Amino acid sequence: MDVREDDWRAASTAGDARRLRELAALDGHDDLGIPLVLAAKAGHVDAVRVILGTNMPDADMRRTALRLATRSGHAGVVELLLDSGAELSDDALIEAAACGSEDLLQLLIARGAERGRDEALVVAAERGATAAVRTLLAAGAGSLNPALKGAIDARHAPTVVALVDAGASAAEGLCHAALVGAPALVDLLIDRGASNLDQAFFIGAKAGQTAAVTRIVLCRAAEAEGTQPASACKPRPAPSGASSAIAAHLAMGPAMLGARRPVGLAVADARAVSKPAFFSTVRAPQAK
């Protein structure tokens, strides 16, 4: 009795292991590569096991199935395919990081995956997959500062903390948080030891990031007045839409920054808080 290819494909896509066993009993089938790929992509562990045990597809189809299962985060299917001899692709860790699966990353690392660890760390950080980030850090992934910037861009505070605690530069992170306008992360990075407030102030001001700059000014004021170090400062956010309040805080900038501000940093009139006007409030001195 001939068994139609459509029957295998339908059962594989649905993950119907019982139907696959029935089909295998009727006809072992010459080529089960496509059914394997369909079952692997959908994460059907039992279906994959039946197909592999019926008629082992060739190496290319197993490699394709492994890649699709990795991209989808199906650790159980990946383990079966690795046990069958399927070869990992060079970017397996990156693909696993993209789906944020800690279990899958641990499996791949245990099976010898090493290439692309640094790139995988950046990808996991950009997605806020903190557990995956910690797994990659434990495996020796580098590129901490690029990963930190990715986490800041995505506003993933727990991932930012994990990376700074692992050795990423809080100072570099503070500058980036000021640049992209992430005031909550400005607070967090100052709390984690970033002390380059003047540098971050200039970067945030040039980018027109009023809320982030306001946080920095308040912390810098507390440090300059000796009430608390910058790392202990917990600045309060400016009231939403309160332009006068923001302007009042920023207008205090010149006195707060004082002589300790870097050469070339000058705060002019901070009463205007729109981005175009605020951009002009921080500028280098004119050459004499």
Side-chain angles (χ1 to χ4, degrees):
M1 176 180 179
D2 292 332
V3 179
R4 295 181 304 169
E5 181 72 19
D6 287 349
D7 291 335
W8 280 95
R9 294 187 182 190
S12 299
T13 301
D16 190 343
R18 185 178 67 176
R19 177 57 178 158
L20 289 172
R21 292 189 188 95
E22 292 174 352
L23 293 172
L26 295 172
D27 184 344
H29 208 277
D30 292 334
D31 183 5
L32 296 181
I34 292 178
L36 176 65
V37 168
L38 293 172
K41 182 178 180 180
H44 298 312
V45 176
D46 289 340
V48 169
R49 184 179 290 110
V50 171
I51 294 169
L52 290 174
T54 300
N55 189 355
M56 183 75 71
D58 63 35
D60 287 341
M61 294 305 290
R62 279 180 285 144
R63 187 182 304 112
T64 299
L66 176 59
R67 186 160 197 167
L68 291 173
T70 301
R71 288 178 178 176
S72 301
H74 300 310
V77 172
V78 169
E79 186 170 19
L80 279 177
L81 290 167
L82 289 174
D83 288 343
S84 77
E87 296 180 1
L88 286 170
S89 65
D90 289 343
D91 54 358
L93 287 177
I94 298 172
E95 291 172 340
C99 66
S101 173
E102 178 187 10
D103 291 342
L104 180 53
L105 282 168
Q106 290 176 341
L107 171 64
L108 294 175
I109 292 168
R111 292 300 187 97
E114 295 182 354
R115 294 184 181 181
R117 284 183 300 186
D118 292 356
E119 295 87 345
L121 179 66
V122 174
V123 169
E126 290 173 343
R127 285 157 178 73
T130 307
V133 165
R134 291 197 177 102
T135 296
L136 289 163
L137 289 171
S143 297
L144 298 183
N145 289 339
L148 178 61
K149 289 181 179 179
I152 291 170
D153 286 339
R155 309 306 197 265
H156 291 300
T159 305
V160 170
V161 171
L163 289 164
V164 172
D165 288 351
S169 170
E172 188 169 330
L174 178 61
C175 288
H176 193 68
L179 175 67
V180 300
L185 295 181
V186 165
D187 291 351
L188 186 155
L189 289 160
I190 291 173
D191 186 53
R192 289 281 164 174
S195 59
N196 55 325
L197 273 64
D198 293 338
Q199 181 186 18
F201 177 90
F202 183 87
I203 291 171
K206 185 176 180 181
Q209 301 293 359
T210 305
V213 168
T214 299
R215 304 289 184 97
I216 295 169
V217 168
L218 292 173
C219 270
R220 190 66 177 84
E223 182 187 38
E225 293 170 358
T227 56
Q228 56 185 330
S231 61
C233 182
K234 298 287 188 179
R236 64 184 183 279
S240 176
S243 297
S244 59
I246 295 174
H249 291 320
L250 294 178
M252 297 169 66
M256 292 177 175
L257 291 171
R260 296 178 63 185
R261 63 188 176 186
V263 175
L265 178 61
V267 180
D269 183 5
R271 288 173 295 180
V273 294
S274 65
K275 284 190 176 182
F278 186 59
F279 178 85
S280 68
T281 67
V282 178
R283 58 179 181 269
Q286 299 295 320
K288 295 183 179 179

